[in-house]
Amino acid sequence: MRVDRRWCILRSLLNGVVPTFNYLMSNSTATASAAANIALVKYWGKASIGNNQPATGSVSLGLEDLRTTTTLEYATGNQDTFDTELDDKARKRALSFLDRVRLNHQITQRLHMTTANNFPTGTGLASSASGFAALSLAFNALFNLKLAGSDLSRMARLGSGSAARSVYGGVVELIPSDDAYAIPIATAEEWPLDVIVAVTEERPKAIGSTEAMIQTANTSPFYRSWLSSHADDMTSAKQAITEKDFGKLADTSEHNCLKMHATMITSEPPIIYWQPATVEIMHEVRALRSSGTPAFFTIDAGAQVKIVCLPSATDTIRQQLKAITGLKRVIVTRLGGSPSVTTS
Ligand code: DP6
């Protein structure tokens, strides 16, 4: 749907709104593509809930082929509208995000949004990360805000903490502060890695990460240890990335992932995302690594296992996974995920 921009600006003026200079320079439509990411050192717990201020830092890999594409244009009426079938929760989350960023930038224009993921959503595959990153990038481009990377990252964080990392591709660090934002720390070209996503559950997960994180922080006796041991994992992962030390990155990432799941499992009531196939794959990956295959696993708030490997090992791992009962399918992607934006 295309709407004449002059009409929209005139309507804003008639509504008594004085658009900013940038707003007058805005585009008619903006389309952004952002990739999902997987954290090797996890963000699990918030220092402040409303703003998604992470309690800890995190390090992630951008997944080149798991993407959300979002188009924003002016709505014709005085409500935000969607071309896409979003469930109630996702729609409310997108609406409150749009309200918030409009307020921050003194924009009143209502928007029409079209969005699509090229991977299954709500199953622990980081759709909120790519979703809010794409929405932030499209918003920035539509209104010609020209935000710096750090501010785009902060904007995306308001939608979802992990989205702060998806405004960049490659290896990204989210630095905790009272207005946290992410920075890119290595490009995909510097250390080409593959990620095999082993899908073990296609149904939506029983509890979303936001709620699970809060419940964990409030009830798990291990949450304090999670916080106090986190800085060492950050240092170790970043060192491993700088030195391209795969073994060190493998050990640090698996340990950090298992610590995070230990806090979930010991929350009240317990949060157990794993399926039998999840555990089987963890064993398989560890056995492969012991016998010299460069691979390690990580698991976010869901049942899917993400296997990070050197590209030379991808085919062997895929072959081995075929024996796992309960494996629904695999998605293979390389490290990457630089966002793209087009306007008209
Ligand atoms: C396990 O970013 O989805 O994937 O900020 O509440 O939207 P909200 O949470 P979200 O949590 C991600 C949790 C994780 C770890 C990670 O990506 O770092």
Side-chain angles (χ1 to χ4, degrees):
M1 178 179 46
R2 268 197 178 194
V3 181
D4 187 329
R5 191 166 123 233
R6 284 164 305 181
W7 157 238
C8 293
I9 291 169
L10 180 64
R11 188 159 49 79
S12 294
L13 287 167
L14 289 174
N15 285 344
V17 175
V18 182
T20 61
F21 177 72
N22 278 345
Y23 180 26
L24 281 166
M25 299 293 289
S26 65
N27 294 296
S28 304
T29 72
T31 297
S33 158
N37 69 73
I38 51 160
L40 302 184
V41 179
K42 313 285 189 188
Y43 146 54
W44 193 252
K46 300 179 199 248
S48 131
I49 292 173
N51 292 320
N52 295 331
Q53 299 294 358
T56 61
S58 53
V59 175
S60 67
L61 304 181
L63 306 182
E64 177 62 23
D65 298 321
L66 276 71
R67 287 183 170 269
T68 301
T69 303
T70 298
T71 299
L72 283 181
E73 52 203 322
Y74 293 168
T76 39
N78 56 5
Q79 279 194 334
D80 292 317
T81 50
F82 296 86
D83 238 9
T84 319
E85 280 298 312
L86 289 179
D87 65 40
D88 245 20
K89 209 167 155 198
R91 178 181 286 259
K92 276 194 192 129
R93 217 169 150 184
L95 285 173
S96 80
F97 175 80
L98 286 175
D99 282 343
R100 192 142 179 204
V101 296
R102 264 192 298 249
L103 192 67
N104 287 351
H105 293 278
Q106 296 159 326
I107 290 167
T108 55
Q109 176 62 52
R110 298 285 134 181
L111 296 167
H112 182 71
M113 173 174 153
T114 310
T115 189
N117 293 325
N118 70 352
F119 59 92
T121 58
T123 56
L125 284 183
S127 57
S128 65
S130 52
F132 283 107
L135 187 51
S136 302
L137 289 156
F139 189 90
N140 177 49
L142 184 72
F143 293 108
N144 201 27
L145 300 177
K146 297 192 168 72
L147 294 180
S150 52
D151 287 331
L152 257 174
S153 174
R154 287 184 171 112
M155 181 191 280
R157 192 205 71 227
L158 294 176
S160 182
S162 53
R165 301 184 306 242
S166 275
V167 300
Y168 308 106
V171 188
V172 179
E173 176 182 2
L174 176 53
I175 305 165
S177 73
D178 55 8
D179 195 7
Y181 63 93
I183 54 165
I185 57 172
T187 64
E189 291 71 33
E190 281 171 67
W191 198 7
L193 294 169
D194 276 355
V195 178
I196 302 170
V197 181
V199 179
T200 58
E201 176 61 276
E202 308 241 45
R203 289 170 298 183
K205 52 194 185 183
I207 175 167
S209 46
T210 309
E211 204 187 323
M213 226 181 258
I214 295 167
Q215 182 178 309
T216 304
N218 288 339
T219 64
S220 170
F222 296 161
Y223 184 68
R224 272 166 190 256
S225 320
W226 162 254
L227 293 182
S228 62
S229 63
H230 202 84
D232 287 348
D233 293 351
M234 287 294 292
T235 308
S236 173
K238 286 194 287 178
Q239 242 169 30
I241 288 158
T242 310
E243 292 159 6
K244 296 194 179 58
D245 183 338
F246 192 88
K248 185 172 180 167
L249 190 61
D251 291 343
T252 307
S253 304
E254 286 187 358
H255 184 59
N256 186 267
C257 163
L258 293 172
K259 276 195 298 184
M260 177 185 77
H261 281 272
T263 69
M264 297 177 187
I265 291 165
T266 51
S267 84
E268 290 178 56
I271 301 160
I272 307 172
Y273 284 115
W274 299 345
Q275 291 296 320
T278 315
V279 179
E280 254 190 274
I281 296 169
M282 286 156 62
H283 285 299
E284 183 60 46
V285 171
R286 289 182 65 75
L288 279 167
R289 189 156 81 257
S290 303
S291 60
T293 304
F296 66 87
F297 68 78
T298 189
I299 306 159
D300 287 313
Q304 331 305 355
V305 186
K306 287 91 173 202
I307 304 161
V308 180
C309 63
L310 296 184
S312 56
T314 306
D315 286 344
T316 311
I317 299 164
R318 284 188 78 155
Q319 210 50 39
Q320 288 299 120
L321 288 177
K322 285 189 178 153
I324 308 279
T325 329
L327 176 68
K328 310 278 189 235
R329 62 191 167 119
V330 297
I331 305 167
V332 180
T333 176
R334 60 190 169 84
L335 166 61
S338 293
S340 66
V341 179
T342 54
T343 53
S344 61

